[in-house]
Amino acid sequence: MNKKEISELRSRLQLDKNAISCIRGCYVNDKREVVSVFDYSLMSLPQEEAEKYLALFKRTLAGVPAKNLIDVDFSVDQVMDSEEHRLLMEMRNTALKDDDIVNAFYLKVIESLVIDGNYLILLMHDSYDVPFRGRDDVKVDDASEEVFSYILCSICPVKLTKPALSYFAVENEFHSREIDRIVASPEVGFIFPRFDDRASNIYGALYFTRDAANTHEELIDAVFHAEMPMPAVEQKETFQSVLEEALEDEMSLEVVQTVHEQLRERLEEHNTDKTAEPLTISRNEVKNVLESCGVSEEHVAKFEEKYDEQFGLGMGLTANNIVDAKKFELRTPDVVIKVNPERSDLVETRMIDGSKYILIRADEGVEVNGVNIRIGQKEQ
């Protein structure tokens, strides 16, 4: 799913725009015991409560595609006949009305998910009468192409608050408030089926993880039994290691600046198109950047070899996962320098009198601890 498709579904999660048939939940304690279950009609809830449930579901569709919103693909065999796909389809087709089916899903999550403390499994079913969009991308509300029926799952930690002094409006006084349990933002979740090209795709789901470094693979295996791409954080760390090991002494500031700058420019250009899939960078594209920096043929060839070993032959990497377009940082054991990514050219490294230096051109506007300073002749 691309940004625009995700945004279209998120925009439905408002009281006056959805057709949510029910909200179901299962509260689980830290011993993996079911504390309570519930089945609500959204319209029967007080407005404030209904909006809070919708806010939790909406956060499950918030994030960066291919980083913490990850496409899950089912094989043809799974769709034809598999326990995991059959369960998801039955949940969707029965609009979460079958208790046995929903309870089977709860059990699957409880038996697999590794998470500290108590948590709440939330489920909702919605039917979206997808409006037609013309070639000019103008939405025609009274012209529908299909009804997109889907389920959305949000798994939220339930955390303890701290005792505090609190204001009680009825008494117009302050009193001690005891420890309470509150539902936090979702840790993981998913939507099934996927909303690809603004239509239902039962061959896929969209999986959400709050922490890109921890995708909870145990839950993915239990619910989808599908192979996931390398986590975003691991992709970045592995890509950096491949560069360092392959280029060795040619791994210079200039090389890092050039790789970062060219990928950043590609990302910025790509991100203007919200209908596009996440930008993928191939091995050959990085190879061309390295060659443009003057990296030797030997080290470029070593990079290609190590890249294929780590990521697989012909595999591309999601650009957002290997470069932070909004960050350029230099770090030593004692100093951290943060630079505007668009002005990394202000920084260079140099050897002076046998010592290594990081040099930053500073023409004006230099502050130290908030105090403006002037760089005069004696610093020359």
Side-chain angles (χ1 to χ4, degrees):
M1 290 173 63
N2 60 44
K3 289 182 180 179
K4 197 164 187 177
E5 292 160 349
I6 294 168
S7 178
E8 185 171 351
L9 292 185
R10 287 188 80 237
S11 68
R12 282 190 56 73
L13 299 178
Q14 301 178 44
L15 284 178
D16 59 343
K17 291 187 176 181
N18 68 78
I20 295 174
S21 58
C22 67
I23 292 178
R24 302 195 65 153
C26 178
Y27 180 35
V28 184
N29 66 20
D30 57 358
K31 298 178 181 178
R32 295 190 175 186
E33 298 169 337
V34 175
V35 178
S36 68
V37 294
F38 58 82
D39 181 358
Y40 297 146
S41 163
L42 183 67
M43 302 311 295
S44 69
L45 296 172
Q47 180 177 337
E48 187 176 350
E49 287 186 22
E51 288 177 344
K52 284 181 167 56
Y53 279 111
L54 291 176
L56 291 171
F57 287 123
K58 188 177 287 188
R59 291 190 190 108
T60 313
L61 294 177
V64 180
K67 191 168 188 176
N68 55 352
L69 286 171
I70 307 165
D71 283 342
V72 179
D73 294 313
F74 293 104
S75 67
V76 175
D77 289 341
Q78 282 181 295
V79 174
M80 293 294 291
D81 183 26
S82 71
E83 178 188 342
E84 59 275 3
H85 194 272
R86 189 182 311 114
L87 178 60
L88 293 172
M89 286 295 291
E90 288 174 343
M91 290 168 64
R92 193 279 298 262
N93 293 341
T94 60
L96 300 175
K97 294 298 184 183
D98 189 306
D99 291 344
D100 290 339
I101 293 171
V102 172
N103 288 334
F105 175 77
Y106 289 155
L107 184 61
K108 189 181 285 282
V109 172
I110 294 167
E111 289 179 343
S112 62
L113 182 61
V114 178
I115 190 171
D116 292 332
N118 300 6
Y119 61 90
L120 177 64
I121 307 170
L122 284 175
L123 289 167
M124 56 153 269
H125 172 268
D126 184 26
S127 294
Y128 178 28
D129 201 7
V130 183
F132 174 77
R133 288 187 186 272
R135 291 184 179 179
D136 54 1
D137 204 35
V138 175
K139 185 170 68 172
V140 183
D141 290 322
D142 58 352
S144 175
E145 293 183 305
E146 73 163 80
V147 175
F148 176 57
S149 173
Y150 66 97
I151 56 172
L152 198 155
C153 173
S154 300
I155 301 178
C156 311
V158 177
K159 299 183 178 180
L160 286 172
T161 61
K162 294 181 179 179
L165 197 62
S166 181
Y167 175 69
F168 289 74
V170 175
E171 302 172 19
N172 195 27
E173 295 176 351
F174 286 88
H175 297 289
S176 175
R177 183 178 293 276
E178 299 301 320
I179 294 175
D180 202 357
R181 295 186 183 273
I182 60 170
V183 180
S185 293
E187 182 74 17
V188 289
F190 67 88
I191 184 172
F192 174 85
R194 260 201 328 256
F195 188 55
D196 290 340
D197 297 323
R198 305 185 68 240
S200 177
N201 176 11
I202 63 170
Y203 284 81
L206 184 71
Y207 181 79
F208 165 81
T209 174
R210 182 189 62 80
D211 183 358
N214 181 11
T215 58
H216 287 279
E217 294 181 10
E218 73 283 358
L219 179 67
I220 295 168
D221 184 60
V223 175
F224 306 113
H225 200 59
E227 187 174 344
M228 297 287 283
M230 184 183 291
V233 173
E234 189 178 341
Q235 275 191 37
K236 184 175 184 178
E237 292 174 349
T238 304
F239 178 74
Q240 291 170 339
S241 295
V242 167
L243 281 175
E244 291 173 10
E245 293 173 12
L247 271 58
E248 298 175 339
D249 58 342
E250 288 191 77
M251 192 67 198
S252 65
L253 174 62
E254 180 187 0
V255 169
V256 175
Q257 284 174 320
T258 305
V259 171
H260 186 275
E261 181 65 19
Q262 293 201 21
L263 294 186
R264 183 184 67 80
E265 289 178 355
R266 287 280 311 278
L267 265 172
E268 289 185 349
E269 180 182 350
H270 181 85
N271 287 341
T272 59
D273 182 4
K274 293 186 178 181
T275 65
E277 299 298 323
L279 176 64
T280 299
I281 300 296
S282 69
R283 183 201 66 186
N284 285 340
E285 287 177 284
V286 181
K287 170 192 171 185
N288 292 337
V289 174
L290 297 179
E291 289 176 337
S292 72
C293 297
V295 176
S296 66
E297 291 183 9
E298 176 188 351
H299 284 150
V300 169
K302 194 172 181 180
F303 164 77
E304 292 181 285
E305 179 184 345
K306 288 189 172 295
Y307 182 101
D308 290 342
E309 286 177 0
Q310 293 295 329
F311 301 111
L313 187 64
M315 293 298 295
L317 300 179
T318 303
N320 267 322
N321 293 349
I322 60 174
V323 63
D324 188 340
K326 298 180 180 180
K327 178 180 176 182
F328 191 86
E329 182 180 283
L330 295 88
R331 184 182 293 270
T332 76
D334 303 306
V335 178
V336 177
I337 304 170
K338 296 182 179 180
V339 184
N340 179 348
E342 297 181 4
R343 295 310 313 270
S344 65
D345 59 295
L346 295 175
V347 185
E348 61 180 293
T349 55
R350 193 177 298 177
M351 184 79 75
I352 302 175
D353 297 331
S355 297
K356 300 173 184 177
Y357 287 87
I358 298 171
L359 301 184
I360 306 171
R361 192 170 80 245
D363 296 325
E364 58 183 17
V366 180
E367 293 184 5
V368 177
N369 291 338
V371 179
N372 288 303
I373 67 166
R374 300 191 179 195
I375 302 175
Q377 293 294 325
K378 67 178 181 179
E379 279 89 359
Q380 291 186 6

